[in-house]
Amino acid sequence: MPTGKHDMDLLESALNPRSVAVIGASENIHKIGGRPILYMQRHGYKGKIYPINPSRDEIQGHKSYASLSALPEVPDLALIVVGGDKTVAAVEECAERGVKSAVIIASGFGETGAAGKELEQHMLAKARASGMRLYGPNTQGLANFGTGAIAGFSTMFIEVPPQDGPVAIVSQSGGMSSMIYGLLRGHGIGVRHVHATGNEADVTVGEMALAVAHDPDVKLLLLYLESISKPEILAQAAEYARSRDLPIVAVKAGRTAGGQRAASSHTGSLANEDRTVDAFFRQHGIWRVRDPHEQARAAQAYLKGWRPEGKRLVVISNSGASCVMGADAADDEKLPMAELAQRTQDALAAKLPGFATTQNPIDITAALLSNSGLFGDVLPEVAKDPAADLFFINIPVAGAGYDVERFARDAAAFEKAAGKPVAVAAWQESVASAFRAHGIATFPNEGDAIGVLAQVANHTALMRRPRVAAPAALTVELPPGNDQFLNEAQSLALLGQHGVPVVPMHLCQSADEARRAYERIREGGHRVVMKACSRDIPHKSEHGLVALDVASADAASALFEQFWNKMDALKAARDGVIVAAMHRGRHEFMVGAHVDPVFGPVVVVGDGGKYTEALNDCVVLMPPFSAAEVQAALRTLRIAPLFDGVRGEPPMDIAALSELAVAVGQFAMSAKDRIASLDLNPVLVGSVGEGAMVVDALVERS
């Protein structure tokens, strides 16, 4: 359910409260109940601070109160730092008094098991009844250094002094929120918001992300998640962030319980929770990284406002070896090397020594030692070339005799004039510090530098990708019955009715029907395949219940009897025998859909056949998506080199496969309340113009 204005007002009461009560306040600044008061006083909080501790009359210069009811006003925010039963009682009292938001520091609730979860749900019920929002329990708290409202106790705020800045951190883990904060501050980057949501009994990372995304001074939003309980709200946050060009970079660790309970079909196991999270992030323009170190590594690049138009890279160095390694790193990151125009190369040749390299990568050689102006000469010429989107400068060695300050000054002037991303690799601190002093994004090696360039370029493209509008819902009615799986004939017929290309087939209940079906298919110019149809036998070929290239109508009649008797011997349901057109293709693919318990419908496309699960070469997409998105995703498969034809073969009809996947996505979205999964394997894909065809399907009811 989308977060409305009332909810946003309540979130604002936690981010910018007019008054804060600390229940369990302490005079000792090294205790959890003492540190938030110290922080708020130290960092400019302008509102009222109400310590609550019946044992003291004054705490850190503020009058102390015996209880919440003794306060002269109802505080916007209550920070609850008492434990055990006192926590529950404090939440109940806050709800009764009309407190808008409560931060619960104590642990021992949902994370401990059923009994703790029950207490957590009790507190949530009390809060909801009064309209109060809960943060936590088991949280390190909230901190807004823009307002000084700090309802948290992280020691990192002492170890690394805060500085207000353009970054917001929202994390389920208090430890990770502090780590990301510390890494950013170590890079000299100011941080405004540091919020930990803990157990998320109520307020989630998604809701906090939506709230801080509305802070106009936030230019980068970093998330740490271990589960995603309300994806629709995180999607809303991402949509708003994208509307104001606010990048979101996320770390997603662990597995959700819902994801572990994947569907029984192989689509469910292939579309595991982690792949589904990837698909969700891609759909909503969120960039996923492995850990907080990667979040901090790229922060400066985002804060520079880099939004490159393309991904073509120029590598410049005073070392030939570094040029080669830069090109290797670019290939690793799938960044194409820019092809410089001849006029650019001519201009470079006029300024560089005759033994220098004017093609990309550009080796200006050790001549830099005798002519410190070479960077200043080369960079403006390259900037004029429209093929250049990104610039990487590698300085593997410099020192006595090198005018490093001039190199850095020229690079900074170039970046400002060009308006394009520039990253430098310099492992010598004396060199790196000079570039950092001029505001250049500087890294210890080419891998980190080019990795950040690639991340920002790819993330920019992802954020700019047009959203696909959801198509009109189809009216999907499953055949009557209570069996978990539809049989093959029912599955194929259902998909065919809703725009998915399926092989022509007939379900026969007698030898005579099989004979007539054979003749009709042959009249259509097709060869014939026959298969037993039983909901109890998913893998028919293992039981000898598939016959290819049936020779005659008599053979079809005989095969019917053979398959019918074999199903009876196996004590399997005899739904009939399928007589179908025998379709051949260049390659077997699989397309599946799975209704994830958290995210809803997801679609899997990949290498098909009997080795599908063993090879696990597939991609996951979240509908609605376009055929172009499917094609781009398919190009990431290991089998992608086969698509364009190998050894004289024509290209495959990947466009037709992509359109088929789009149709499956629309079907899955429309039928999500009635199906759990569907598996189409194999999907036979021919050469360009020959299309894609489903020849076997299995639909599972929800």
Side-chain angles (χ1 to χ4, degrees):
M1 181 175 174
T3 298
K5 183 180 185 304
H6 176 65
D7 297 308
M8 290 297 293
D9 289 343
L10 289 174
L11 293 170
E12 181 68 12
S13 70
L15 297 177
N16 190 20
R18 292 168 297 181
S19 53
V20 180
V22 182
I23 302 173
S26 173
E27 179 70 23
N28 188 338
I29 64 171
H30 297 299
K31 289 190 174 181
I32 292 176
R35 201 168 285 161
I37 299 173
L38 169 71
Y39 288 158
M40 285 188 281
Q41 293 181 140
R42 180 177 288 179
H43 299 296
Y45 177 60
K46 304 298 184 185
K48 297 284 188 180
I49 300 175
Y50 295 118
I52 296 178
N53 186 328
S55 302
R56 302 186 67 94
D57 296 327
E58 184 178 290
I59 292 178
Q60 296 184 47
H62 298 271
K63 180 182 177 180
S64 180
Y65 296 84
S67 66
L68 192 69
S69 60
L71 298 183
E73 63 175 320
V74 177
D76 280 349
L77 175 65
L79 175 60
I80 301 172
V81 293
V82 293
D85 294 339
K86 292 182 179 179
T87 299
V88 179
V91 170
E92 292 173 341
E93 186 178 10
C94 287
E96 290 167 4
R97 285 298 310 274
V99 173
K100 293 180 179 178
S101 295
V103 177
I104 306 171
I105 299 296
S107 56
F109 292 94
E111 78 280 7
T112 64
K117 188 68 175 177
E118 187 175 342
L119 284 175
E120 196 170 279
Q121 291 301 307
H122 170 77
M123 293 189 295
L124 179 59
K126 291 291 184 181
R128 283 182 172 165
S130 69
M132 182 173 71
R133 301 305 304 267
L134 293 182
Y135 297 81
N138 189 29
T139 177
Q140 195 165 271
L142 314 177
N144 180 351
F145 292 106
T147 64
I150 304 167
F153 65 92
S154 173
T155 58
M156 194 61 71
F157 302 153
I158 293 176
E159 297 296 318
V160 185
Q163 175 186 319
D164 187 17
V167 182
I169 301 165
V170 183
S171 169
Q172 283 178 287
S173 162
M176 285 299 102
S177 70
S178 293
M179 179 182 180
I180 299 167
Y181 162 86
L183 289 169
L184 290 169
R185 294 295 299 116
H187 287 291
I189 296 171
V191 180
R192 171 161 294 184
H193 296 276
V194 186
H195 306 307
T197 57
N199 286 8
E200 298 193 340
D202 181 16
V203 177
T204 64
V205 163
E207 289 175 282
M208 287 301 286
L210 180 58
V212 300
H214 280 77
D215 184 334
D217 294 323
V218 170
K219 306 301 181 188
L220 176 63
L221 177 51
L222 305 179
L223 308 181
Y224 174 87
L225 306 110
E226 290 174 0
S227 63
I228 303 175
S229 57
K230 298 177 183 177
E232 70 282 1
I233 296 180
L234 182 54
Q236 186 182 350
E239 185 66 22
Y240 179 77
R242 194 152 65 158
S243 74
R244 54 161 294 219
D245 194 32
L246 171 63
I248 301 178
V249 181
V251 172
K252 167 63 176 67
R255 296 282 191 271
T256 67
Q260 291 172 341
R261 295 193 299 270
S264 58
S265 72
H266 72 142
T267 299
S269 63
L270 289 170
N272 62 50
E273 186 267 348
D274 206 46
R275 278 177 163 164
T276 302
V277 169
D278 280 340
F280 175 83
F281 283 168
R282 283 195 306 272
Q283 186 183 52
H284 296 290
I286 299 172
W287 192 260
R288 186 178 187 180
V289 294
R290 291 174 299 179
D291 56 44
H293 294 278
E294 288 195 2
Q295 287 179 310
R297 185 183 74 176
Q300 183 186 5
Y302 283 106
L303 295 176
K304 281 176 166 288
W306 289 354
R307 301 294 185 271
E309 293 299 323
K311 303 176 185 180
R312 296 165 298 180
L313 177 70
V314 175
V315 174
I316 304 169
S317 180
N318 61 331
S319 161
S322 294
C323 286
V324 174
M325 293 178 68
D328 285 344
D331 191 62
D332 290 341
E333 296 290 346
K334 296 180 172 56
L335 291 180
M337 297 291 285
E339 295 185 13
L340 300 178
Q342 187 59 51
R343 62 179 177 274
T344 303
Q345 296 186 48
D346 292 343
L348 293 175
K351 296 177 181 295
L352 292 173
F355 50 85
T357 304
T358 59
Q359 292 182 332
N360 186 23
I362 302 168
D363 177 12
I364 61 177
T365 75
L368 186 63
L369 181 60
S370 57
N371 181 0
S372 296
L374 283 180
F375 271 130
D377 291 338
V378 166
L379 292 173
E381 296 297 338
V382 179
K384 297 174 187 175
D385 197 310
D389 299 310
L390 312 167
F391 297 88
F392 167 60
I393 300 171
N394 196 350
I395 305 179
V397 61
Y402 287 92
D403 191 348
V404 175
E405 172 63 25
R406 182 174 179 181
F407 303 161
R409 188 170 62 247
D410 287 345
F414 161 71
E415 181 182 36
K416 182 178 180 180
K420 295 179 180 180
V422 178
V424 169
W427 67 271
Q428 290 173 274
E429 181 56 30
S430 60
V431 177
S433 60
F435 281 91
R436 283 198 297 267
H438 283 275
I440 299 293
T442 306
F443 304 88
N445 57 68
E446 65 275 345
D448 283 356
I450 292 177
V452 167
L453 289 171
Q455 177 178 330
V456 175
N458 287 318
H459 195 181
T460 298
L462 185 65
M463 291 176 66
R464 289 175 174 171
R465 189 177 71 185
R467 289 294 302 274
V468 177
L474 305 171
T475 301
V476 178
E477 295 295 336
L478 270 63
N482 297 315
D483 295 311
Q484 181 180 0
F485 294 96
L486 304 188
N487 64 41
E488 182 182 348
Q490 291 172 322
S491 298
L492 286 169
L494 181 65
L495 291 164
Q497 291 164 11
H498 295 94
V500 180
V502 299
V503 67
M505 63 92 194
H506 303 276
L507 180 64
C508 303
Q509 303 293 332
S510 69
D512 285 343
E513 286 185 16
R515 177 185 291 276
R516 291 193 294 271
Y518 175 90
E519 291 170 345
R520 285 197 295 272
I521 290 172
R522 289 296 292 156
E523 287 171 1
H526 302 289
R527 292 150 71 187
V528 175
V529 60
M530 291 180 64
K531 297 183 279 187
C533 184
S534 171
R535 67 185 73 93
D536 298 329
I537 308 176
H539 302 296
K540 298 171 283 295
S541 59
E542 296 177 6
H543 298 281
L545 293 172
V546 177
L548 303 177
D549 213 358
V550 180
S552 65
D554 289 340
S557 177
L559 281 167
F560 177 91
E561 298 291 355
Q562 178 184 328
F563 288 173
W564 194 258
N565 294 333
K566 185 68 174 288
M567 286 188 282
D568 188 46
L570 292 171
K571 295 182 169 45
R574 295 190 292 186
D575 299 327
V577 174
I578 293 172
V579 180
M582 186 171 167
H583 191 80
R584 293 192 182 276
R586 288 272 307 286
H587 194 83
E588 292 185 348
F589 289 84
M590 68 81 60
V591 179
H594 161 66
V595 181
D596 185 272
V598 174
F599 296 98
V602 294
V603 173
V604 184
V605 188
D607 197 8
K610 66 180 181 179
Y611 300 123
T612 292
E613 292 180 48
L615 295 177
N616 198 16
D617 190 17
C618 62
V619 291
V620 177
L621 301 109
M622 193 162 289
F625 47 77
S626 67
E629 288 174 40
V630 180
Q631 289 200 51
L634 288 171
R635 289 288 173 180
T636 67
L637 296 176
R638 293 192 298 274
I639 60 167
L642 304 181
F643 297 168
D644 297 321
V646 177
R647 304 185 77 130
E649 295 174 341
M652 295 184 196
D653 203 340
I654 297 303
L657 175 63
S658 300
E659 293 289 353
L660 186 151
V662 170
V664 169
Q666 184 181 11
F667 175 83
M669 291 179 68
S670 302
K672 63 182 179 181
D673 295 329
R674 292 175 289 285
I675 68 165
S677 70
L678 58 94
D679 294 321
L680 318 181
N681 186 18
V683 177
L684 296 179
V685 175
S687 299
V688 169
E690 294 178 351
M693 183 76 68
V694 179
V695 298
D696 199 349
L698 183 67
V699 175
E700 180 185 12
R701 298 180 193 268
S702 61

